[in-house]
Each structure stands twice: as C-alpha cells, then as structure tokens.
Amino acid sequence: MTLSGELLKGIYKENPVLRLALGLCPTLAVSNSVINGIGMGTAFTFVLLGSNIIVSLIKKGVPDKIRIPVYIVIIASFVTIADLFMAGFAPKLHKALGIFVPLIVVNCIILGRAEAFASKNSLGRSILDAIGMGIGFTLTLVFIGFFREFLGDGKVLGTPVMGSSFEPVLLFILPPGAFLSLGFLMGFLNWIDSKKVRK
Amino acid sequence: MRNIIKLSSILTLVTAIAALALAGVNTITKPLIEEQMRLAVHNALLEVLPEASGGVCVDVGEKKGELFEAYSSPDTTGLAGFAFKAYGKGYSSTIETMVGLDLNGNIKGIKILFQQETPGLGSKIEEIKYGKSKPWFQEQFKNKNAERVAVDKDDGEIKSITGATISSRAVTNSIRNGFKKIKPRLEKIIKGEQK
C-alpha cells in the first residue's frame, strides 16, 4: 500500500467506527456535542500515536507470549499521561469527558491497531496509520456530535443558533439519539458503497 | 523455567519504564492540577459572595474546601458572610453546590460545582437561557433564607425544572440541610466576632 493510502484508509475506507465497527462505546457516549468529540478524538489520537510508535519500535524485542500485557501497559501509560495533562490544562473538558478518558485504555481500536498493524509494520507506516485512524475516529465523533447537538439542543459548538422559539428534539441528546445517528450514518455509507458497486 | 524468567524480566522492565515515565509526568502536572482545583473553588467563592471580592475567604471547615469565612477586607476584619459546599444526591450524580450566605443566613448566590445529571433535563440546573448571562435556576436562590428554601412542589419558592424535579429538589434540599448542619457553628463564629 502507498504511504498516502496508509494515512487515508483510516478516514473512509477502513474508518474504525463506521467500517470496522470498533470503539462504539465511547462513540455512543461522548458524541452529544462537537466539543466533546474534538476533545475525545484528540486524546484518542495522542494515545494511539504514542502506542503505535512504541509498539512498532519494540516489536522485535517482545516475545509473542507476553505481547498483550506489554501492549496494555504501554497503552495505559499513554492514557494516564493524556488524563493528567487534560486535568491540568483543560479541566472543563476533562470534567465533561469524565470516565471516558481513562476508558480509552480498553478502547479496542487502539489495541487492535497495535496488534494488527504496528507490531507488523515499520515505524513510519505505524505513525501514518495512527494519524489516519485518529482523524477518522475524531471526524466520526464530531460529525455525529454536530447532528446531536444541533437537533437535540439547538446549538453549534455550545452557541445557541436557533433562537429561543426552537424546540429541540431532546431524544437526540439522550442515548437513543446516539444509536439512531450512528445507525443512519453507517447505513448511509453502505448505501453509497452499494451504488458504487452497481456501476 | 528459563523461559519464565526471561518473560517476567521483560515484563518487569516494561512496567518499570512505564512507571518511571508516569512519575515524571505526574511531577509536572500535579501542581497544575492543584492550581486548577484551587482556581475553581476561588472563582465559585467570588461568584457566590461578591462582597468578599476585595477581601479574603478563609477555609475553616473540618475538611478542606467545605466551609469558608468571608471578610470584606484582606486583613480578616469585617466578617461579611460564609460560604459552604452542599452535596445532594440527584438523579444520576451527586450534585456539588457552593453556597454563599450573609450573616443572617440569607443566600447571596449559589454555584453548581459538579453535576452529571441527564443532559437536556437535569443538567438544566446550569442552563443559561438564550441572551442571558446567568443560569436562571441558580439565580432564583438569591436573597432566599437558607433555612426555609424549598422547591414549589414542597410549597417553597424555588421553581423546579420541568421534567427534572429530582435534580431541582436535590440542589434545594442539599442547601437547606447543609445550612442546618453548620448553623450552630456559624452562630458561634458570629458571637465570637461581636465580643
């Protein structure tokens, strides 16, 4: 695969959430506003980039039998670093994301990329893979977050845009709205794909 | 056997390096996080007790950050009021509120410090309406007597949020109960001040 393909595959063709259906838990939980999506996506990309770099660097030194505990220690360390920095520099965002920052440890996209990609590929490709997957995850969260915030709260990035007469569709801010938005988005992408195949 | 030793020593090495890195990061961020927490409390105090903005707030609680005496001048003279932290069990979280009082037990202002209530319903305890600058629910508490404050469903004066009676009641009741708990101490402090 070309280097640019390595970067771009995470955004559309192999989008971790919409295509591989991984990491659905944080997607459903923190996609109720755009800013939450940006914060979660940034923290996630930082952790994925860190873990992909380290895993790719030490891939030859790690015996097969203990690779999973080694990967998890690496991932958990980066998550803790991200958590501490967020608490120190962006306390509001840290409060809004709450438990979902520590839970990046068990986000299966990150372990999945370490196991399926970084442990088998060169450092450069692993970095591109992490950036691409991170952008793909962030874009998905921001996209769903935009719709849920707009329909469910009448706001864009926390600023009311619909005026006081707008009656928000509360359902979209609540958990069912997450399932609905994600389902429609996945369905829409599949529909586009099926049209392409027919041609 | 030799394999076990090899595997465990590699794993030990990995975790040791990780621990070292985390310790390093922690020394950098610890003062930052403490400063952020102090700032959050400080800002909340200024908001609920504007009288103390030129003076100082002294932490007098048994636990840190629970009860404050507010003075109108920096040299701890001129007792202006009190602030205390109230905890109320809401619908999906324990709501923390900073409450500012004058010397007669009237509420000067409240500020929700922490809540994780249902977005769009209970979270409206912090809602700022379109075109306004302050949250309407919290504004209602101004100049109400802390000992008698109650929501409308309990024959009080606080208008509860539609669809979020539990959250509204949690805030209101936590303030009333919190005040009752510290009232004897406040009376003692005021008496001491007058001597």
Side-chain angles (χ1 to χ4, degrees):
Chain A
M1 198 186 266
T2 60
L3 287 178
S4 62
E6 215 72 88
L7 179 72
L8 293 174
K9 71 176 190 296
I11 296 168
Y12 186 79
K13 218 173 82 197
E14 284 180 37
N15 184 298
V17 179
L18 300 171
R19 297 299 169 152
L20 311 179
L22 294 172
L24 294 180
C25 222
T27 307
L28 293 168
V30 297
S31 63
N32 51 9
S33 73
V34 173
I35 194 73
N36 278 3
I38 295 172
M40 184 67 187
T42 313
F44 169 88
T45 309
F46 167 78
V47 173
L48 182 58
L49 190 59
S51 85
N52 258 16
I53 289 172
I54 303 287
V55 168
S56 175
L57 283 175
I58 63 166
K59 59 180 180 281
K60 284 200 182 106
V62 180
D64 228 26
K65 274 184 184 158
I66 53 163
R67 68 182 196 286
I68 299 293
V70 170
Y71 296 164
I72 287 292
V73 168
I74 293 167
I75 294 166
S77 306
F78 278 109
V79 169
T80 314
I81 291 169
D83 192 41
L84 289 173
F85 272 111
M86 263 183 149
F89 289 103
K92 266 200 176 151
L93 189 65
H94 187 256
K95 224 167 100 177
L97 296 177
I99 185 69
F100 291 99
V101 177
L103 279 181
I104 297 174
V105 177
V106 287
N107 187 314
C108 40
I109 302 171
I110 296 177
L111 186 63
R113 294 329 287 175
E115 170 79 6
F117 197 90
S119 60
K120 297 187 182 93
N121 285 283
S122 68
L123 177 64
R125 279 176 188 272
S126 298
I127 291 174
L128 289 175
D129 177 73
I131 295 172
M133 288 285 162
I135 294 172
F137 183 73
T138 311
L139 279 181
T140 311
L141 283 186
V142 169
F143 200 70
I144 298 175
F146 173 78
F147 272 105
R148 291 184 63 194
E149 194 181 348
F150 183 69
L151 293 172
D153 217 3
K155 291 177 182 169
V156 171
L157 270 165
T159 320
V161 287
M162 298 300 282
S164 49
S165 61
F166 174 72
E167 194 58 51
V169 192
L170 207 55
L171 181 80
F172 273 92
I173 279 286
L174 299 172
F179 285 101
L180 281 173
S181 318
L182 183 65
F184 274 115
L185 193 55
M186 275 181 165
F188 180 67
L189 291 187
N190 286 344
W191 178 71
I192 290 177
D193 279 4
S194 70
K195 284 206 120 179
K196 267 188 202 156
V197 172
R198 246 178 265 156
K199 277 177 191 168
Chain B
M1 186 61 201
R2 194 189 287 162
N3 205 15
I4 287 179
I5 293 166
K6 190 189 157 203
L7 291 181
S8 49
S9 53
I10 290 176
L11 205 50
T12 311
L13 186 72
V14 170
T15 45
I17 294 170
L20 220 68
L22 287 182
V25 172
N26 189 39
T27 32
I28 301 170
T29 54
K30 205 178 171 202
L32 283 170
I33 294 170
E34 273 167 7
E35 175 65 17
Q36 292 285 5
M37 287 169 87
R38 202 192 56 76
L39 255 174
V41 171
H42 181 76
N43 288 340
L45 282 173
L46 279 186
E47 207 164 304
V48 300
L49 280 173
E51 290 87 352
S53 58
V56 284
C57 287
V58 184
D59 196 331
V60 290
E62 279 156 31
K63 261 166 61 189
K64 207 173 165 244
E66 302 280 292
L67 180 63
F68 297 88
E69 287 173 13
Y71 296 92
S72 51
S73 65
D75 55 354
T76 66
T77 55
L79 186 65
F82 301 97
F84 71 95
K85 231 193 223 177
Y87 300 89
K89 185 88 196 70
Y91 184 73
S92 57
S93 62
T94 298
I95 306 168
E96 286 178 38
T97 313
M98 185 67 87
V99 186
L101 300 168
D102 66 9
L103 296 177
N104 301 318
N106 292 321
I107 298 168
K108 299 311 288 177
I110 70 165
K111 162 110 181 127
I112 311 269
L113 296 175
F114 178 83
Q115 60 92 8
Q116 277 183 338
E117 299 294 287
T118 319
L121 291 171
S123 71
K124 283 198 176 159
I125 53 177
E126 287 191 292
E127 182 191 43
I128 297 169
K129 282 215 171 132
Y130 190 71
K132 297 274 165 58
S133 63
K134 293 200 164 153
W136 64 274
F137 179 73
Q138 296 173 51
E139 284 296 287
Q140 297 186 77
F141 288 83
K142 266 193 185 153
N143 301 320
K144 302 263 156 58
N145 188 293
E147 207 170 0
R148 288 193 297 273
V149 72
V151 293
D152 43 11
K153 285 190 182 167
D154 301 333
D155 302 322
E157 296 172 284
I158 304 296
K159 196 174 168 295
S160 53
I161 295 159
T162 316
T165 310
I166 296 179
S167 310
S168 314
R169 205 176 253 153
V171 174
T172 315
N173 291 359
S174 73
I175 293 172
R176 195 177 61 237
N177 295 334
F179 177 70
K180 278 182 187 159
K181 229 185 262 172
I182 57 164
K183 198 182 169 199
R185 273 203 70 192
L186 300 191
E187 281 169 349
K188 233 192 221 166
I189 295 170
I190 295 170
K191 255 189 197 163
E193 186 77 4
Q194 281 163 349
K195 264 177 200 169

